[in-house]
Amino acid sequence: FLRPPPGPAAGEACELCGAALEDGHAHVVDLARRTVRCACRACAVLFRGPGAGAGRWRTVPDRVLADPALSLSGAEWAALEIPVGLAFLFRSSAAGRWIAVYPGPAGAVESALPLEAWDRLAGRTALAAACAPDVEALLVRVPRGGGPVEALLVPIDRCYELAGRLRRTWRGLDGGAAARAELDALFAALRARARPVAGRERP
């Protein structure tokens, strides 16, 4: 995926119809090219439903969900073989499987998931079943110095925005203080928006 810009520049236009964009505009995923594009309100509504746009375009939802009952140990996280303590995981309709992406100094890096380990984890939380393919992701963070692993269901554009911010601020091997501050700020904002996931939630 190509990450979207953090906000519209002066005179920025919808990448689908050319209309002017407002602050806080929506994004749509081009499923064929695996890119995220800026969209005006009208285009965002047009491509909100599954199958809209002949199945090529899908609007990124804006919901944030948490699972207060989810408890994930460091060992369970290690079984996923993700080399860092931060990643987002999404279901790719093109690949037909879950994909893990983790940020770093070079940007977002994809990692193949060990299926057995992931299936065990996904079966323990309603967040996995509720996650809409291609447009939502499970954002997972292992706290620095230990503690419970935190997972949120978030819009996928926020994940790529985070990867871009971390790339700009990354210093040294572990990211440095500026990158950790960006991460803390984003998680605090997402927690404030999150509502508990219900067992009946659907993508």
Side-chain angles (χ1 to χ4, degrees), residues 1-78:
F1 280 99
L2 300 178
R3 64 180 179 84
E12 190 176 2
C14 173
E15 294 183 77
L16 301 179
C17 73
L21 290 176
E22 66 281 354
D23 288 335
H25 62 272
H27 294 104
V28 298
V29 171
D30 181 338
L31 301 179
R33 297 184 178 181
R34 295 187 66 193
T35 58
V36 180
R37 298 181 180 273
C38 298
C40 66
R41 184 176 291 107
C43 287
V45 171
L46 184 63
F47 299 116
R48 188 168 291 162
R56 176 176 174 178
W57 305 96
R58 185 79 186 271
T59 299
V60 179
D62 62 358
R63 66 179 180 170
V64 178
L65 302 177
D67 184 358
L70 177 62
S71 176
L72 180 64
S73 70
E76 290 169 317
W77 174 257

Side-chain angles (χ1 to χ4, degrees), residues 37-160:
R37 298 181 180 273
C38 298
C40 66
R41 184 176 291 107
C43 287
V45 171
L46 184 63
F47 299 116
R48 188 168 291 162
R56 176 176 174 178
W57 305 96
R58 185 79 186 271
T59 299
V60 179
D62 62 358
R63 66 179 180 170
V64 178
L65 302 177
D67 184 358
L70 177 62
S71 176
L72 180 64
S73 70
E76 290 169 317
W77 174 257
L80 296 178
E81 300 178 11
I82 296 172
V84 296
L86 175 70
F88 60 94
L89 306 96
F90 69 96
R91 282 188 291 174
S92 167
S93 56
R97 62 181 176 85
W98 285 85
I99 292 175
V101 180
Y102 57 90
V109 179
E110 288 190 6
S111 172
L113 287 168
L115 294 180
E116 290 185 4
W118 171 246
D119 287 344
R120 287 195 298 271
L121 172 59
R124 290 173 45 197
T125 176
L127 292 176
C131 191
D134 305 302
V135 293
E136 292 182 319
L138 302 186
L139 181 60
V140 185
R141 181 187 189 188
V142 181
R144 185 179 175 85
V149 176
E150 184 173 12
L152 297 168
L153 185 152
V154 302
I156 201 166
D157 54 357
R158 299 304 303 272
C159 297
Y160 285 102

